[in-house]
Amino acid sequence: MAFTPSPFLDPGTHASANNLGILQLRRDQLIPAILSPHAESDYAEGKVENTRFGSFPHSTLVGQPWGTQILASVVDTGSRGKSKKRKRDGNDEGEDAQKPDAKEAKRDLVKAATASSGFAHLVPPTPETWTLSLPHRTQVVYTPDYSYILQRLRVRPGDHMIEAGAGSGSFTHASVRAVYKGYPGQEDTFNGTDDTPEEAVGVTKKRKRSQRHGAVYSFEYHEPRARQLQVEIKAHGLDPLVTITHRDVYADGFCLDDSTGPDADAIFLDLPAPWQALPHLTRSPLTSAALQSVSTDPSTPNPAATSDPTPSQPFRSPLNPLKPIRICTFSPCIEQVTKTVSTLRTLGWVEIDMVEIAAKRLDVRRERVGLSEEGVRGGNASAATVQEAVQRLRDVEGRAAVFHSLQKEKQEEVMKRAEARKRGENVGEIGNGKKKDKVDGVPPGKQDRLEKVKKELESRTLYKEGRLVHRTEPELKTHTSYLVFAVLPREWTGEDEEKARKKWGKK
Amino acid sequence: MHSFIRSNTHVALRLPSGLFKIIEITPNTSINLGKFGTVNSNLILGRPYYLTYELLDKDDGRAKTELRVVPASELHAEALGSEHAPVAETGEETADGEAGFDIVGEDGKVIMRNNRLTVDDASRQKLTMDEIEELKKAGTGSGKDIIARIMASHDAIDEKTSFSLAKYTLRKSRKYLKRFTAIPMDVGVLTGYVLEKEAYKIMELREDLLGLICSWANVHCGATTRVQTAEDGASQIGGGRWLVVDDTGGLVTAALAERMGILYPDDDDEESEEELAEAVEADQQQNGHTDAPQEPKPNESDTAMPDADAATVDPTKASDPTADSSHLLSLPRKSPRPHIPQMSAKTNTLTVLHPNNQPNLSYLKYFGYDYGAPVPSHPLYKHLKSLSWLSLLHPEDDPQYDEPELISDEVLATMKSSKRGTYYRKRRRWERVKTVVDETRAGGFDGLVVATAMDAKTVLKELVPLIRGGGKIVVYNPNVEPLVELCDYYSKERRAAYIAREFGPPPQTPRQMNGKKHKYDDDAETNDSTTEGGFEEDDFPLNPTLLLAPSLQTARARQWQVLPQRTHPMMTSKGGAEGYLFTATRVLPIEGRVEARGHHGKKKRKVGPEIAAQP
């Protein structure tokens, strides 16, 4: 079987079976699904995603180009839970395609019939869409935070990265994308032309000893979470790039059990007590003095956990010895930050910087104000201008005046008639003709106005009326976490300096 | 790539003031650090980044200026020291009865001094301006002496609270300490540097927003991405290719390239140790040519020339259908050095659209890529493509797109070598332009990143159709208004109206259609749908059905000071443009009227048919 790269990294042109696809219903409503039309299912159509915008059998998704608008299908959701017989009987759509055996239906699915309404879009998974749709197990690191973190950590293709506190895996996915530089073992086959000319030119480039592929080393001390993440990573085709280890990094550090250390260039710690993990992130074994100052630090509540460098084993650093190492810790509370920063200072990290990210999304809408909005959805029916208000007042006053004069007239008439009756005269029907005249002169009443608005609405273009405004989204994340950044330079000994001095010695 | 300082690269030196000085470091040259003096570049070449150095000069008894690495413990001494003895200062002068302005513990120890008695008066500093100047001239050491003297001659240094004292010391250190830190030149540092000096040149784009752009554009390394073609068999779909409109002088391009792994010249870090060792034993003289990144240079400059002496160069390239290699084989003379076709990569590429003849990508020079004279060994040479708006929209009007006359081998053999060179150069330029233009027009890009002062709607009108389904669109603007307007063109009300107008009657057989085809039609022949209502352009400048979930967002990193018991956000920071991002996903709408489902409130809307009322 041909190797299929993860849809996160190289989605291909179409959604394919047994890969992750995302059904986007609304901006923030996304349904992730491993597309498996032939999986065991109670539905005649095979596996189905049921949403409030309709049902989408996987068979209608697989093979579609990414980004396609998918129409909902008619799926008999009602009889699913009932006996298989009932289900088969009660289906009017693909009756002829029905097979008596549910197992056989796996191969011979009912062709889904397009419903009259409802749709969704089939989009390829990205760390962003995954972050919006993943099953929450812990607090999620959202896009504004992880994008800034990865930017500041200068994570580049081919880098190795340590992530501790994998949590729900949103950061894991984002960092895999950042370090990805092909799968291990998979060379630039498609870009074979890439290398040849360079060599032909005679660029005296030594064969690289080992092409460094990006890798993420993820640690999680909560075992079910670690296992769940492992399952997800595998399902997403990212398992060759991510190593998930279930471990308490405070106690056991970051070196893997087999001798291939993480050799990390960047570190992200989403832990409750990052300062307890920091002593494991050094280039050389901690001197007892340093260890002392870290562990006697009154802010470290559990010194026992940190001062456990397992003296029996030879020291191994989880860090890449050749590059400056960048770290980011992610802590919601300021007290955690203070402790982390002072530990970083003690351990020789430099360029220490702490920031918080304030991100917001904006809603854009059109604000329509005016008396003509009366009874129209989404409009504000107060007067748009002073003039409009004055006109309305005049109308009201005018109506009142007419009304009063009418009343008066009526009264007079009644009086007259009464008098006439008294006098025994015959009373004609004078009122009718008069009424019509009245209506003409009277300013419009509410009923008239509403009718008029309704009529005009037919020809209005609401999408471009009113004032274009923007405002912050209704629910705001005002604080996520504090981000502490630091850099650990390469180790530089007197010996190294001597060498460099010789090489670059002044002539 | 940033394991140690290599020659002929750009390095950012941070001075105590916090300002950066960016230099291109070459061996045996002196680096001018302003008032701090000069340093020979050999003193920092080959050393690791992020070390802080202190200048030791003749005043410290050295014959020449030397550098001392300041250990981290010394850098943090202040912060750490005050932490381990946070409040233990015994103010003797205040112990006697003057309680009331200090917070005194039960044992009479001053727990917290306050600033009630602080005298804000410059006269409390005994040293005059002139005396300080003299001290500076006398050049006492690394500046620590000056600071010590200044502190000693402050009248009321003990009246200061410990915090204000720390602040005072810091301020003086910034001014007088002769230190600098060598920082690798990367996109973040460049952003900070330009923001400080000429923010308008990069559209005031901050690093936090750059991070957001890269994430939302889903930019990543696509070096091993499959090359896949669309149903027509010709146009490529995906392949790790992004379209860019960049008015930030190349900063956005650089940020994207960094994420794609094509920004930095391909140096092998692991060689460094070996190189060092070799260098020590072997060479002395040509020190410019000894280290790894240097070596390719001589060859490169030769191969960069082929445009000049093209007779020796083979213009064939695998991807080029028109090139005919046979006539080249007949060329005798020098052994042919193969030509590396610029912009020839098929995957992991950036295609920059530019409004002028040449793109402005000047900031790429900090990463070793000079657009005017690119070095073939730089990854951007093959992976960065560019074309002008004219070539994209009207290639027939672009003279560079016209095929130069093909000259037969016989005729060619009789020509002067310079003429032949010109001929090949022209051919090759045409091949390059044609390949890039044709590839771009065929579309199928993975995403579009726009940071331009141009009207975004005109940009999106042309470029959105070139993005593949599921591709990402990101538009940056320093101001919100242009993007608000853009969002409005994609509002659900407008989309509903658009669909109602385009496909009035309810659907019979909805058929899948890519908006791209639609757009191309109106270029080639007058398409009925675009010309019918004359108001089309104004009301629907963009096809609102091509983008899904258009959103507008912004983010800002707020910096904090973290010191023991003095942790708070920075008091000041840079204002100016807030910076906003418009993001969306390109989708392939079903042509025809599509009825949405779902609950949109109780009332059924009278107008604005219930189509596409989702997101």
Side-chain angles (χ1 to χ4, degrees), chain B residues 233-283:
Chain B
S235 49
Q236 192 180 349
I237 294 226
R241 301 175 305 135
W242 280 267
L243 257 183
V244 188
V245 181
D246 184 355
D247 280 356
T248 62
L251 180 74
V252 168
T253 311
L256 300 177
E258 188 175 37
R259 296 302 182 93
M260 296 163 71
I262 53 176
L263 181 61
Y264 302 98
D266 204 8
D267 304 318
D268 202 343
D269 285 329
E270 295 165 58
E271 283 179 28
S272 59
E273 296 287 342
E274 198 178 78
E275 285 293 331
L276 271 177
E278 265 173 35
V280 171
E281 60 191 54
D283 86 291

Side-chain angles (χ1 to χ4, degrees), chain A residues 196-499:
Chain A
T196 32
E198 260 170 44
E199 278 165 37
V201 179
V203 176
T204 56
K205 199 178 263 174
K206 282 171 220 150
R207 210 68 223 127
K208 283 172 197 164
R209 267 181 251 151
S210 60
Q211 173 87 32
R212 211 156 178 252
H213 288 279
V216 174
Y217 294 86
S218 191
F219 297 87
E220 171 64 50
Y221 75 120
H222 188 271
E223 195 173 0
R225 272 183 221 147
R227 244 181 321 190
Q228 188 54 40
L229 185 62
Q230 181 73 60
V231 169
E232 271 169 18
I233 289 294
K234 192 154 174 42
H236 298 173
L238 299 170
D239 48 321
L241 304 166
V242 182
T243 312
I244 298 168
T245 310
H246 164 235
R247 176 186 290 184
D248 174 13
V249 293
Y250 298 156
D252 303 328
F254 299 88
C255 285
L256 296 190
D257 297 331
D258 55 1
S259 59
T260 59
D263 196 24
D265 307 289
I267 300 154
F268 174 67
L269 300 181
D270 181 4
L271 301 169
W275 58 93
Q276 292 189 34
L278 287 174
H280 296 289
L281 295 165
T282 57
R283 293 193 185 275
S284 47
L286 281 182
T287 60
S288 53
L291 202 57
Q292 196 70 9
S293 72
V294 173
S295 48
T296 56
D297 185 347
S299 53
T300 309
N302 188 5
T306 58
S307 56
D308 183 28
T310 50
S312 56
Q313 279 174 17
F315 175 80
R316 236 170 58 210
S317 171
L319 310 178
N320 180 351
L322 296 175
K323 275 176 68 178
I325 309 299
R326 291 188 173 77
I327 195 172
C328 172
T329 70
F330 187 79
S331 317
C333 306
I334 201 79
E335 290 78 7
Q336 296 169 300
V337 168
T338 334
K339 287 174 200 166
T340 307
V341 169
S342 80
T343 309
L344 285 170
R345 285 190 177 124
T346 314
L347 293 174
W349 293 77
V350 295
E351 307 286 314
I352 297 169
D353 184 28
M354 194 269 262
V355 302
E356 63 175 330
I357 297 289
K360 60 183 177 185
R361 294 198 306 190
L362 302 172
D363 289 339
V364 173
R365 45 183 282 197
R366 286 191 168 262
E367 205 164 75
R368 302 190 311 271
V369 180
L371 297 177
S372 59
E373 300 297 330
E374 208 172 356
V376 181
R377 229 174 73 125
N380 179 349
S382 51
T385 59
V386 171
Q387 283 70 27
E388 217 177 64
V390 169
Q391 185 56 46
R392 168 61 58 88
L393 287 169
R394 278 194 208 285
D395 287 355
V396 172
E397 288 307 316
R399 276 183 69 83
V402 172
F403 180 74
H404 285 309
S405 67
L406 270 183
Q407 289 291 84
K408 222 168 164 185
E409 257 175 59
K410 230 184 210 166
Q411 203 121 31
E412 276 166 15
E413 202 175 309
V414 169
M415 297 278 271
K416 261 188 216 158
R417 280 198 211 172
E419 271 169 37
R421 243 185 240 128
K422 255 185 202 167
R423 276 182 259 125
E425 279 173 35
N426 188 20
V427 186
E429 306 239 341
I430 330 150
N432 274 358
K434 259 191 182 172
K435 234 174 196 168
K436 269 178 195 161
D437 298 341
K438 268 183 274 160
V439 173
D440 288 343
V442 175
K446 181 162 186 185
Q447 203 57 41
D448 310 324
R449 288 200 315 261
L450 282 179
E451 254 164 50
K452 197 173 150 227
V453 165
K454 223 172 177 181
K455 224 167 89 190
E456 281 174 356
L457 198 54
E458 310 277 337
S459 57
R460 278 175 66 184
T461 46
L462 290 184
Y463 60 85
K464 58 172 180 175
E465 287 179 13
R467 178 184 304 233
L468 197 51
V469 296
H470 64 96
R471 53 166 67 183
T472 307
E473 62 185 328
E475 267 175 46
L476 204 53
K477 291 192 181 70
T478 33
H479 178 63
T480 52
S481 273
Y482 296 111
L483 311 177
V484 177
F485 293 96
V487 177
L488 189 63
R490 271 181 79 171
E491 208 149 60
W492 196 242
T493 61
E495 216 173 291
D496 295 330
E497 176 63 28
E498 202 49 47
K499 267 190 204 168

